[in-house]
């Protein structure tokens, strides 16, 4: 697999994403369902966004690793939050940035505020990963 990052402007790198990712000759693709702050027993977290961010990212890692893919090969990532204000003012986004840098992820990404997620959830991720 060959992965090429297209980033005409470097400012997006500080936000943990690339403008586009081109993948040539992948051997397989993994499409991950939304991963949120759901405990192993299926109960939803009712914690604050920072805590939910950590658990949602752990769950995303678990799914990707269980499928025998590498986190650095995430090529598309969507972040849904119920509050942009909370995402960017209480350091929740810094947890995301640290995770992206730690795993050398350079994905085309979108963050969007939604009015509601299921139950008490306030953060959710969808990802596409290639081999």
């Amino acid at each position: 697999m060959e992965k090429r990052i297209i980033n005409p402007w470097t400012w997006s790198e500080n936000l943990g994403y690339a403008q586009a990712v081109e993948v040539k000759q992948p051997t397989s693709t993994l499409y991950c369902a939304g991963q949120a702050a759901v405990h192993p027993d299926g109960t939803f977290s009712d914690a604050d966004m920072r805590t939910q961010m950590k658990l949602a990212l752990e769950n995303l890692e678990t799914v990707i690793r269980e499928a025998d893919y590498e986190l650095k090969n995430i090529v598309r990532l969507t972040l849904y939050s119920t509050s942009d204000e909370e995402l960017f003012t209480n350091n929740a986004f810094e947890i995301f940035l640290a995770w992206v840098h730690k795993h050398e992820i350079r994905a085309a990404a979108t963050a969007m505020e939604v009015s509601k997620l299921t139950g008490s959830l306030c953060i959710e991720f969808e990802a596409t990963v290639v081999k």
Side-chain angles (χ1 to χ4, degrees):
M1 183 243 341
E2 180 184 332
K3 182 172 140 181
R4 181 174 71 111
I5 304 301
I6 296 94
N7 233 2
W9 312 282
T10 58
W11 58 262
S12 64
E13 293 173 5
N14 295 330
L15 296 174
Y17 74 96
Q19 297 296 326
V21 178
E22 178 185 45
V23 178
K24 292 183 180 179
Q25 301 176 337
T27 59
S28 57
T29 304
L30 178 69
Y31 300 93
C32 298
Q35 297 301 309
V38 179
H39 299 287
D41 66 1
T43 59
F44 298 154
S45 172
D46 61 359
D48 63 29
M49 188 174 286
R50 286 177 49 82
T51 303
Q52 286 199 27
M53 172 75 75
K54 291 175 187 175
L55 182 54
L57 289 171
E58 288 171 12
N59 289 343
L60 183 58
E61 282 185 47
T62 298
V63 169
I64 292 169
R65 289 194 171 124
E66 184 73 22
D68 197 30
Y69 282 71
E70 294 183 65
L71 295 171
K72 70 179 182 179
N73 288 332
I74 294 172
V75 294
R76 182 79 176 116
L77 189 60
T78 304
L79 182 162
Y80 302 96
S81 76
T82 56
S83 170
D84 282 349
E85 182 178 350
E86 189 176 353
L87 177 65
F88 293 109
T89 60
N90 75 357
N91 296 326
F93 195 73
E94 281 73 19
I95 292 168
F96 169 74
L97 286 178
W99 180 82
V100 164
H101 293 301
K102 174 184 175 184
H103 298 292
E104 301 175 353
I105 297 166
R106 297 188 70 198
T110 300
M112 68 179 73
E113 182 179 59
V114 296
S115 62
K116 181 146 179 56
L117 292 169
T118 302
S120 56
L121 299 175
C122 61
I123 200 93
E124 187 168 337
F125 291 94
E126 288 180 337
T128 303
V129 195
V130 295
K131 278 189 184 178

